[in-house]
Amino acid sequence: MTSIDRERMELALKEAHRAQRAGEIPVGAVIAAADGAILARGHNMTIRRHDPTAHAEVIAIRRAARRVSNYRLTGTTLYVTLEPCLLCLGAIAHARVARIVFAAPDPKRGALGAAADENVTRLLHHRFKVTGGIMEAEAAALLRGFFVPRRVARGSPR
């Protein structure tokens, strides 16, 4: 992990906190250009927007694409607090993001985990580098803090 990766992930965690305050699943994303400039930020907005595609990654990709006036985000790095799902992985590939850096793995829905990685990424037309586990503890704690009270209220096991 580089200090730049940590700084960018801290920004993504701030976005995740914004999502949490809005009652959304606390996931945040940041897209940085090849020169390091922050192009866009995003956090989950599926509930507020009534949009199942309004994941943090998709929001950030849409904003970055508008900012650079191009749907291709070549040379960029996406920082996200939770391992991307299949929906987001498709958007990332279509945007031609060069690198994905995620904090916490998502063993249930993550599309970059050991089991899915080979089977899923080989189907994509674009290749990218992946780094996982950057500030994992912080992101996982935020997610647990969101889900555990909801599970307890439903009477589900933790």
Side-chain angles (χ1 to χ4, degrees):
M1 168 176 63
T2 69
S3 62
I4 291 172
D5 286 343
R6 185 171 179 81
E7 288 172 20
R8 301 297 191 266
M9 191 59 74
E10 286 173 354
L11 294 174
L13 280 164
K14 285 181 182 179
E15 287 296 314
H17 282 283
R18 288 183 68 196
Q20 182 183 42
R21 287 191 301 273
E24 300 276 356
I25 295 172
V27 178
V30 170
I31 297 182
D35 68 1
I38 301 300
L39 295 177
R41 301 169 193 224
H43 59 273
N44 276 1
M45 295 188 200
T46 57
I47 297 167
R48 182 178 353 159
R49 291 191 176 180
H50 310 287
D51 179 357
T53 69
H55 292 197
E57 300 95 313
V58 174
I59 298 294
I61 287 169
R62 288 175 180 161
R63 289 176 175 169
R66 276 195 301 271
R67 180 160 181 196
V68 300
S69 299
N70 193 335
Y71 71 98
R72 293 208 170 162
L73 301 173
T74 56
T76 60
T77 299
L78 169 71
Y79 295 88
V80 62
T81 59
L82 183 64
E83 178 184 353
C85 68
L86 281 170
L87 169 94
C88 295
L89 195 62
I92 291 163
H94 283 287
R96 306 292 198 276
V97 170
R99 182 173 176 233
I100 302 167
V101 178
F102 68 88
D106 186 348
K108 291 183 180 176
R109 289 171 208 85
L112 296 171
D117 191 24
E118 231 178 83
N119 295 319
V120 173
T121 58
R122 72 179 168 84
L123 300 174
L124 299 173
H125 61 282
H126 174 69
R127 300 289 177 248
F128 38 78
K129 294 179 182 173
V130 178
T131 304
I134 306 295
M135 299 185 73
E136 178 180 345
E138 294 90 332
L142 186 59
L143 287 160
R144 270 192 310 278
F146 180 82
F147 284 112
V148 168
R150 284 161 178 76
R151 289 182 183 129
V152 169
R154 287 193 332 247
S156 300
R158 291 181 184 206

mmCIF file of all heavy atoms in Angstrom, residues 55 57 78 80-90 92 100-106 109-113 130:
data_model
loop_
_atom_site.group_PDB
_atom_site.id
_atom_site.type_symbol
_atom_site.label_atom_id
_atom_site.label_comp_id
_atom_site.label_asym_id
_atom_site.label_seq_id
_atom_site.Cartn_x
_atom_site.Cartn_y
_atom_site.Cartn_z
ATOM 1 N N HIS A 55 -24.927 2.553 -7.317
ATOM 2 C CA HIS A 55 -23.851 2.125 -6.424
ATOM 3 C C HIS A 55 -22.763 3.198 -6.437
ATOM 4 O O HIS A 55 -22.632 3.965 -7.398
ATOM 5 C CB HIS A 55 -23.257 0.804 -6.894
ATOM 6 C CG HIS A 55 -24.188 -0.351 -6.760
ATOM 7 N ND1 HIS A 55 -23.751 -1.650 -6.792
ATOM 8 C CD2 HIS A 55 -25.539 -0.408 -6.596
ATOM 9 C CE1 HIS A 55 -24.783 -2.461 -6.652
ATOM 10 N NE2 HIS A 55 -25.885 -1.735 -6.539
ATOM 11 N N GLU A 57 -19.605 3.097 -6.990
ATOM 12 C CA GLU A 57 -18.708 3.020 -8.139
ATOM 13 C C GLU A 57 -19.354 3.627 -9.383
ATOM 14 O O GLU A 57 -18.725 4.378 -10.128
ATOM 15 C CB GLU A 57 -18.334 1.567 -8.444
ATOM 16 C CG GLU A 57 -17.631 0.849 -7.309
ATOM 17 C CD GLU A 57 -18.584 0.049 -6.424
ATOM 18 O OE1 GLU A 57 -19.648 0.574 -6.023
ATOM 19 O OE2 GLU A 57 -18.238 -1.103 -6.107
ATOM 20 N N LEU A 78 -9.750 3.495 -9.521
ATOM 21 C CA LEU A 78 -10.976 3.560 -8.735
ATOM 22 C C LEU A 78 -10.679 3.025 -7.343
ATOM 23 O O LEU A 78 -10.193 1.898 -7.190
ATOM 24 C CB LEU A 78 -12.071 2.706 -9.376
ATOM 25 C CG LEU A 78 -13.317 2.465 -8.525
ATOM 26 C CD1 LEU A 78 -14.144 3.740 -8.402
ATOM 27 C CD2 LEU A 78 -14.149 1.343 -9.099
ATOM 28 N N VAL A 80 -12.487 2.092 -3.805
ATOM 29 C CA VAL A 80 -13.825 1.815 -3.299
ATOM 30 C C VAL A 80 -13.708 1.042 -1.990
ATOM 31 O O VAL A 80 -12.815 0.220 -1.815
ATOM 32 C CB VAL A 80 -14.678 1.076 -4.356
ATOM 33 C CG1 VAL A 80 -14.085 -0.269 -4.727
ATOM 34 C CG2 VAL A 80 -16.127 0.951 -3.929
ATOM 35 N N THR A 81 -14.624 1.331 -1.076
ATOM 36 C CA THR A 81 -14.523 0.765 0.266
ATOM 37 C C THR A 81 -14.994 -0.681 0.368
ATOM 38 O O THR A 81 -14.743 -1.331 1.373
ATOM 39 C CB THR A 81 -15.302 1.629 1.279
ATOM 40 O OG1 THR A 81 -16.680 1.693 0.868
ATOM 41 C CG2 THR A 81 -14.704 3.029 1.355
ATOM 42 N N LEU A 82 -15.670 -1.185 -0.651
ATOM 43 C CA LEU A 82 -16.131 -2.573 -0.668
ATOM 44 C C LEU A 82 -15.843 -3.165 -2.035
ATOM 45 O O LEU A 82 -16.021 -2.490 -3.058
ATOM 46 C CB LEU A 82 -17.636 -2.633 -0.371
ATOM 47 C CG LEU A 82 -18.272 -4.025 -0.285
ATOM 48 C CD1 LEU A 82 -17.701 -4.820 0.894
ATOM 49 C CD2 LEU A 82 -19.788 -3.900 -0.144
ATOM 50 N N GLU A 83 -15.423 -4.398 -2.061
ATOM 51 C CA GLU A 83 -15.143 -5.103 -3.317
ATOM 52 C C GLU A 83 -16.320 -4.943 -4.276
ATOM 53 O O GLU A 83 -17.473 -5.167 -3.893
ATOM 54 C CB GLU A 83 -14.917 -6.579 -2.999
ATOM 55 C CG GLU A 83 -14.673 -7.440 -4.201
ATOM 56 C CD GLU A 83 -14.550 -8.908 -3.825
ATOM 57 O OE1 GLU A 83 -14.514 -9.247 -2.614
ATOM 58 O OE2 GLU A 83 -14.496 -9.730 -4.749
ATOM 59 N N PRO A 84 -16.074 -4.546 -5.504
ATOM 60 C CA PRO A 84 -17.167 -4.322 -6.463
ATOM 61 C C PRO A 84 -17.977 -5.584 -6.774
ATOM 62 O O PRO A 84 -17.447 -6.691 -6.825
ATOM 63 C CB PRO A 84 -16.444 -3.842 -7.721
ATOM 64 C CG PRO A 84 -15.147 -3.295 -7.229
ATOM 65 C CD PRO A 84 -14.777 -4.147 -6.048
ATOM 66 N N CYS A 85 -19.271 -5.365 -7.011
ATOM 67 C CA CYS A 85 -20.175 -6.432 -7.420
ATOM 68 C C CYS A 85 -20.100 -6.588 -8.948
ATOM 69 O O CYS A 85 -19.389 -5.843 -9.627
ATOM 70 C CB CYS A 85 -21.605 -6.107 -6.997
ATOM 71 S SG CYS A 85 -22.333 -4.701 -7.897
ATOM 72 N N LEU A 86 -20.847 -7.522 -9.485
ATOM 73 C CA LEU A 86 -20.846 -7.761 -10.936
ATOM 74 C C LEU A 86 -21.323 -6.543 -11.730
ATOM 75 O O LEU A 86 -20.757 -6.210 -12.773
ATOM 76 C CB LEU A 86 -21.722 -8.967 -11.284
ATOM 77 C CG LEU A 86 -21.093 -10.318 -11.042
ATOM 78 C CD1 LEU A 86 -22.131 -11.420 -11.195
ATOM 79 C CD2 LEU A 86 -19.926 -10.544 -11.989
ATOM 80 N N LEU A 87 -22.369 -5.881 -11.250
ATOM 81 C CA LEU A 87 -22.869 -4.687 -11.919
ATOM 82 C C LEU A 87 -21.768 -3.649 -12.063
ATOM 83 O O LEU A 87 -21.511 -3.129 -13.148
ATOM 84 C CB LEU A 87 -24.046 -4.088 -11.138
ATOM 85 C CG LEU A 87 -24.484 -2.700 -11.605
ATOM 86 C CD1 LEU A 87 -25.607 -2.842 -12.609
ATOM 87 C CD2 LEU A 87 -24.908 -1.854 -10.435
ATOM 88 N N CYS A 88 -21.093 -3.375 -10.952
ATOM 89 C CA CYS A 88 -20.040 -2.364 -10.945
ATOM 90 C C CYS A 88 -18.836 -2.804 -11.761
ATOM 91 O O CYS A 88 -18.219 -1.991 -12.453
ATOM 92 C CB CYS A 88 -19.649 -2.038 -9.512
ATOM 93 S SG CYS A 88 -21.009 -1.266 -8.609
ATOM 94 N N LEU A 89 -18.518 -4.083 -11.709
ATOM 95 C CA LEU A 89 -17.390 -4.585 -12.483
ATOM 96 C C LEU A 89 -17.625 -4.373 -13.975
ATOM 97 O O LEU A 89 -16.712 -4.003 -14.708
ATOM 98 C CB LEU A 89 -17.151 -6.064 -12.167
ATOM 99 C CG LEU A 89 -15.810 -6.609 -12.630
ATOM 100 C CD1 LEU A 89 -14.661 -5.892 -11.935
ATOM 101 C CD2 LEU A 89 -15.736 -8.100 -12.369
ATOM 102 N N GLY A 90 -18.838 -4.569 -14.432
ATOM 103 C CA GLY A 90 -19.161 -4.313 -15.833
ATOM 104 C C GLY A 90 -18.961 -2.851 -16.188
ATOM 105 O O GLY A 90 -18.381 -2.524 -17.230
ATOM 106 N N ILE A 92 -17.030 -0.707 -14.652
ATOM 107 C CA ILE A 92 -15.595 -0.433 -14.559
ATOM 108 C C ILE A 92 -14.886 -0.861 -15.837
ATOM 109 O O ILE A 92 -14.056 -0.133 -16.386
ATOM 110 C CB ILE A 92 -14.994 -1.147 -13.322
ATOM 111 C CG1 ILE A 92 -15.518 -0.504 -12.032
ATOM 112 C CG2 ILE A 92 -13.478 -1.166 -13.360
ATOM 113 C CD1 ILE A 92 -15.335 -1.364 -10.782
ATOM 114 N N ILE A 100 -8.213 -1.016 -9.862
ATOM 115 C CA ILE A 100 -9.223 -1.008 -8.804
ATOM 116 C C ILE A 100 -8.507 -1.249 -7.487
ATOM 117 O O ILE A 100 -7.735 -2.197 -7.364
ATOM 118 C CB ILE A 100 -10.266 -2.122 -9.008
ATOM 119 C CG1 ILE A 100 -10.956 -1.992 -10.360
ATOM 120 C CG2 ILE A 100 -11.292 -2.112 -7.867
ATOM 121 C CD1 ILE A 100 -11.769 -3.227 -10.743
ATOM 122 N N VAL A 101 -8.780 -0.395 -6.517
ATOM 123 C CA VAL A 101 -8.259 -0.572 -5.167
ATOM 124 C C VAL A 101 -9.471 -0.627 -4.248
ATOM 125 O O VAL A 101 -10.251 0.316 -4.203
ATOM 126 C CB VAL A 101 -7.335 0.596 -4.755
ATOM 127 C CG1 VAL A 101 -6.836 0.405 -3.328
ATOM 128 C CG2 VAL A 101 -6.173 0.744 -5.728
ATOM 129 N N PHE A 102 -9.647 -1.765 -3.558
ATOM 130 C CA PHE A 102 -10.790 -1.867 -2.661
ATOM 131 C C PHE A 102 -10.332 -2.153 -1.243
ATOM 132 O O PHE A 102 -9.247 -2.674 -1.023
ATOM 133 C CB PHE A 102 -11.830 -2.885 -3.151
ATOM 134 C CG PHE A 102 -11.402 -4.325 -3.110
ATOM 135 C CD1 PHE A 102 -11.584 -5.098 -1.961
ATOM 136 C CD2 PHE A 102 -10.841 -4.928 -4.224
ATOM 137 C CE1 PHE A 102 -11.211 -6.427 -1.929
ATOM 138 C CE2 PHE A 102 -10.466 -6.265 -4.202
ATOM 139 C CZ PHE A 102 -10.657 -7.014 -3.049
ATOM 140 N N ALA A 103 -11.188 -1.796 -0.295
ATOM 141 C CA ALA A 103 -10.862 -1.983 1.119
ATOM 142 C C ALA A 103 -11.306 -3.368 1.585
ATOM 143 O O ALA A 103 -10.489 -4.268 1.728
ATOM 144 C CB ALA A 103 -11.519 -0.880 1.951
ATOM 145 N N ALA A 104 -12.597 -3.533 1.815
ATOM 146 C CA ALA A 104 -13.116 -4.780 2.383
ATOM 147 C C ALA A 104 -13.577 -5.734 1.288
ATOM 148 O O ALA A 104 -14.235 -5.317 0.337
ATOM 149 C CB ALA A 104 -14.275 -4.472 3.318
ATOM 150 N N PRO A 105 -13.262 -7.012 1.438
ATOM 151 C CA PRO A 105 -13.790 -7.993 0.494
ATOM 152 C C PRO A 105 -15.281 -8.212 0.753
ATOM 153 O O PRO A 105 -15.766 -7.976 1.863
ATOM 154 C CB PRO A 105 -12.985 -9.257 0.793
ATOM 155 C CG PRO A 105 -12.546 -9.103 2.205
ATOM 156 C CD PRO A 105 -12.400 -7.622 2.444
ATOM 157 N N ASP A 106 -15.994 -8.637 -0.269
ATOM 158 C CA ASP A 106 -17.408 -8.967 -0.139
ATOM 159 C C ASP A 106 -17.578 -10.427 -0.540
ATOM 160 O O ASP A 106 -17.760 -10.737 -1.720
ATOM 161 C CB ASP A 106 -18.259 -8.061 -1.028
ATOM 162 C CG ASP A 106 -19.751 -8.272 -0.829
ATOM 163 O OD1 ASP A 106 -20.140 -9.260 -0.173
ATOM 164 O OD2 ASP A 106 -20.527 -7.451 -1.346
ATOM 165 N N ARG A 109 -21.106 -11.133 -2.504
ATOM 166 C CA ARG A 109 -21.445 -10.493 -3.775
ATOM 167 C C ARG A 109 -20.261 -9.927 -4.543
ATOM 168 O O ARG A 109 -20.416 -9.412 -5.635
ATOM 169 C CB ARG A 109 -22.458 -9.376 -3.516
ATOM 170 C CG ARG A 109 -23.807 -9.922 -3.146
ATOM 171 C CD ARG A 109 -24.750 -8.822 -2.671
ATOM 172 N NE ARG A 109 -25.727 -9.387 -1.750
ATOM 173 C CZ ARG A 109 -25.545 -9.556 -0.452
ATOM 174 N NH1 ARG A 109 -24.453 -9.166 0.113
ATOM 175 N NH2 ARG A 109 -26.478 -10.098 0.305
ATOM 176 N N GLY A 110 -19.087 -10.006 -3.976
ATOM 177 C CA GLY A 110 -17.908 -9.451 -4.634
ATOM 178 C C GLY A 110 -17.560 -10.205 -5.910
ATOM 179 O O GLY A 110 -17.644 -11.427 -5.961
ATOM 180 N N ALA A 111 -17.193 -9.456 -6.921
ATOM 181 C CA ALA A 111 -16.897 -10.055 -8.226
ATOM 182 C C ALA A 111 -15.406 -10.251 -8.469
ATOM 183 O O ALA A 111 -15.012 -10.686 -9.540
ATOM 184 C CB ALA A 111 -17.495 -9.184 -9.326
ATOM 185 N N LEU A 112 -14.580 -9.921 -7.482
ATOM 186 C CA LEU A 112 -13.136 -10.054 -7.656
ATOM 187 C C LEU A 112 -12.520 -11.068 -6.703
ATOM 188 O O LEU A 112 -11.316 -11.212 -6.662
ATOM 189 C CB LEU A 112 -12.454 -8.698 -7.470
ATOM 190 C CG LEU A 112 -12.826 -7.652 -8.509
ATOM 191 C CD1 LEU A 112 -12.274 -6.290 -8.095
ATOM 192 C CD2 LEU A 112 -12.343 -8.050 -9.878
ATOM 193 N N GLY A 113 -13.333 -11.762 -5.946
ATOM 194 C CA GLY A 113 -12.838 -12.759 -4.997
ATOM 195 C C GLY A 113 -12.207 -13.936 -5.704
ATOM 196 O O GLY A 113 -12.329 -14.103 -6.919
ATOM 197 N N VAL A 130 -5.749 -5.061 -9.780
ATOM 198 C CA VAL A 130 -6.588 -5.061 -8.577
ATOM 199 C C VAL A 130 -5.706 -5.144 -7.344
ATOM 200 O O VAL A 130 -4.794 -5.965 -7.278
ATOM 201 C CB VAL A 130 -7.570 -6.256 -8.574
ATOM 202 C CG1 VAL A 130 -8.393 -6.270 -7.294
ATOM 203 C CG2 VAL A 130 -8.474 -6.220 -9.796
#
